[in-house]
Amino acid sequence: MATSYMTEEGYKKLSEEINFLETVKRPEISRQIAEARDKGDLSENAEYDAAKEAQGLLEAKIAQLKDVFANARVIDESKLGTDVVQILNKVKIRNTKNNQTMEYTLVSETEANLKEGKMSINTPIGKGLLGKKVGDIIEVTVPSGIMTFEIMNISL
């Protein structure tokens, strides 16, 4: 698993989610399995099968989140600058074809949420912006073709 860079807030949320899944969801599913087992014949017990499947999915999710957590590196926000685009920068870009401007904060994949204006550095646009300066023109290959953006502003 690759290193995942994240904010202190993202790291804390991930830790809380793992804790919730382990201390609340895991015992809940164990209770469902026990209740289904108490109903008798397991070979025809759909509740038991569903609970065992839910348990498997939960354990897989916990393992995946723990892997991300183990490889997470919290970013020292005090060392961030705005001379070139880097993770946690807020970047204002202009689509050169339609003059539409957008503003995104570049974040790790685990913290991305476009509704909140948080774009993953692993997206085509995110990758294209990294290391660029205000005034740079970037061409980004997206599923619909090539898009061209001008970097208008970089801030924290």
Side-chain angles (χ1 to χ4, degrees):
M1 170 99 202
T3 300
S4 180
Y5 293 95
M6 56 182 56
T7 60
E8 186 77 44
E9 176 189 354
Y11 190 76
K12 186 172 178 249
K13 278 183 184 175
L14 182 60
S15 174
E16 289 168 356
E17 183 177 4
I18 292 168
N19 186 47
F20 173 76
L21 293 176
E22 289 182 329
T23 61
V24 177
K25 297 304 278 182
R26 186 182 271 161
E28 205 173 272
I29 290 176
S30 292
R31 268 193 306 280
Q32 290 171 2
I33 290 170
E35 286 170 14
R37 194 181 295 127
D38 291 345
K39 292 181 181 173
D41 185 5
L42 297 181
S43 64
E44 295 177 17
N45 190 330
E47 283 179 49
Y48 178 78
D49 291 341
K52 286 299 280 183
E53 185 176 336
Q55 182 183 44
L57 293 171
L58 177 70
E59 292 305 324
K61 182 171 184 168
I62 289 171
Q64 186 236 345
L65 292 176
K66 281 185 158 186
D67 195 34
V68 170
F69 192 75
N71 291 288
R73 299 293 172 263
V74 177
I75 297 160
D76 182 351
E77 296 181 47
S78 70
K79 292 191 170 129
L80 294 177
T82 57
D83 49 338
V84 296
V85 177
Q86 55 187 313
I87 193 167
L88 295 186
N89 280 158
K90 187 177 283 187
V91 183
K92 185 176 185 178
I93 55 176
R94 179 180 64 85
N95 182 322
T96 60
K97 285 196 175 71
N98 64 15
N99 266 344
Q100 181 183 0
T101 61
M102 297 148 278
E103 194 167 59
Y104 298 107
T105 300
L106 293 179
V107 296
S108 69
E109 200 163 328
T110 56
E111 296 179 83
N113 183 335
L114 284 178
K115 287 180 185 160
E116 296 176 6
K118 295 178 179 179
M119 179 185 291
S120 167
I121 56 171
N122 294 333
T123 62
I125 295 174
K127 286 178 182 174
L129 290 170
L130 289 175
K132 302 298 187 284
K133 298 178 177 176
V134 172
D136 283 357
I137 305 287
I138 62 164
E139 285 190 348
V140 179
T141 303
V142 293
S144 60
I146 294 177
M147 297 181 78
T148 307
F149 298 102
E150 178 184 0
I151 299 174
M152 307 297 290
N153 188 40
I154 304 169
S155 60
L156 291 174

